[in-house]
Amino acid sequence: MLAVGGTMLNEEISTAQRLVKTDAYQMSIGEVVNMYRDKEIIIDPEFQRLFRWDAGQKSRLFESILLGIPLPSIFVFEREDSKWELIDGLQRTSTILEFMGLLRSPEGDLKAPSVLEATRYLPSLYNVVWEKSDQISGVPIDQQMELTSDLKLAVRRSRIAVEILKRPSDNNTKYDLFQRLNAGGTPANAQELRNCIIIMANREFFQGLRALADNADFLAVAGMTDDQIEKQRPMEYISRLLVHLRVPYDGRLDVEEYINEGIISQAEQGLDNVTAEGARETFRILNEAHGVNALRRLENGVPRGKVSLVAFEVIAVGVAANIAAILQRADPVEYVRDRVAALWQAPEIEQFFSAGMRGTTRIQRTVPFGREWFANG
């Protein structure tokens, strides 16, 4: 058995390796900067919105460069036009470009240069700039300390490894690599990374999801706070909705991997008008039926707690899966109102809230139950 398993594993490794074609260069920071300036390295505007290093993190990067500490590799994907698309190293690359006054905003405008702070080993980095500028916020020109020409040259000559994912590589490999490389860091959460993957796959699809996530009925029903909106929770819920509706789950993948793979498969198919309209109608009816309490648990007829994934998977997905039939009823809102209220009295509901239940187990129960519950009332 072990030998067979080993053979199968070796075959899987061999197959997966054929999907990935890579190359690697050692380049100077000056060369990387020049490629960005010549638009040969592309940073997607949506990715730039994840650029959230603070002044301390930026300063420590330049401390490392000036001390000659090797920098981690950056990863790029070779596009069909031979340009490189940055898929990992956003924070480091953007920090260098911003400090030099070369980084462009998502809208295409040059961003104001940054200023460094004192670091543990280089306290004299305090108020150091690449070039003095009145565009630098918070530090008057007479307090700015311009980096000397020899240190600028040292920065430009510093080397960085560039790992290149070559064009023959499968697109899904690019998405997976982006996810794996970025998931270990702190700048972006899971959905922000997922957003980037969706953009890579189909920008129009991303815009369709964004429109659904910005829908007033959805935001009311989902009870999103400003902090949750900032952290892309609406996009996460809409992504989950579409995947649960259109991609069967067999329990083999981790839930996050299932959502990732599912939303990419949907991005490649595109968002059709029927699905989008069905989602809008789902949240319109839920909002009219129960408003902000639509996805909150009812205990003795009183809504309790916060919106939960259990309620979303049972109610929102259940209604959306049956929306065409629900709209044919004499009073769709009244039907949904009654079914939601009755749901919380159903004995099966307790099993979904069992402490320690794995997400892989939960969604194999909640989603089918919700589909049936709103189909058979």
Side-chain angles (χ1 to χ4, degrees), residues 46 195 205-215 232 235:
E46 292 292 340
N195 287 351
F205 178 81
F206 172 82
Q207 293 167 343
L209 288 192
R210 174 65 70 193
L212 293 177
D214 290 340
N215 178 271
Q232 302 299 311
M235 284 289 285

Side-chain angles (χ1 to χ4, degrees), residues 76-209:
V76 298
F77 180 78
E78 186 180 63
R79 306 193 323 181
E80 291 184 0
D81 59 5
S82 295
K83 294 182 179 181
W84 290 351
E85 179 181 338
L86 187 69
I87 57 175
D88 183 64
L90 170 70
Q91 307 293 339
R92 298 187 299 278
T93 306
S94 297
T95 291
I96 293 166
L97 293 167
E98 182 186 49
F99 182 65
M100 293 180 174
L102 299 173
L103 182 64
R104 293 193 175 275
S105 72
E107 293 71 35
D109 303 318
L110 280 175
K111 297 186 66 174
S114 57
V115 59
L116 303 182
E117 292 183 346
T119 63
R120 178 181 179 182
Y121 296 107
L122 300 178
S124 294
L125 283 181
Y126 180 72
N127 281 357
V128 164
V129 298
W130 187 259
E131 292 180 347
K132 292 186 176 184
S133 169
D134 58 8
Q135 298 298 310
I136 297 175
S137 176
V139 183
I141 287 184
D142 61 357
Q143 295 180 25
Q144 297 173 17
M145 304 294 293
E146 186 170 317
L147 205 63
T148 58
S149 58
D150 59 318
L151 291 179
K152 287 181 181 178
L153 186 59
V155 170
R156 290 195 188 97
R157 286 179 173 172
S158 295
R159 312 294 287 183
I160 189 167
V162 181
E163 301 287 342
I164 307 156
L165 194 62
K166 303 292 284 185
R167 271 177 291 171
S169 298
D170 180 77
N171 265 342
N172 287 326
T173 306
K174 175 176 71 167
Y175 309 144
D176 189 50
L177 181 61
F178 178 86
Q179 190 84 10
R180 289 168 187 265
L181 292 170
N182 285 275
T186 58
N189 62 39
Q191 186 57 43
E192 288 173 322
L193 297 179
R194 192 176 292 129
N195 287 351
C196 292
I197 294 172
I198 296 168
I199 292 164
M200 286 182 187
N202 186 336
R203 183 177 296 274
E204 185 177 349
F205 178 81
F206 172 82
Q207 293 167 343
L209 288 192

Side-chain angles (χ1 to χ4, degrees), residues 292-354:
V292 297
N293 297 320
L295 301 180
R296 295 172 65 198
R297 189 173 186 178
L298 292 180
E299 295 181 1
N300 298 320
V302 179
R304 305 282 188 189
K306 301 177 181 179
V307 170
S308 67
L309 279 174
V310 168
F312 188 83
E313 290 159 2
V314 174
I315 299 172
V317 177
V319 171
N322 294 283
I323 190 63
I326 290 172
L327 289 172
Q328 296 298 314
R329 291 181 177 271
D331 191 338
V333 172
E334 186 64 23
Y335 170 76
V336 168
R337 181 183 294 119
D338 291 344
R339 292 305 287 164
V340 170
L343 171 71
W344 299 111
Q345 306 300 318
E348 299 94 332
I349 203 70
E350 289 302 324
Q351 67 175 312
F352 305 145
F353 288 93
S354 299

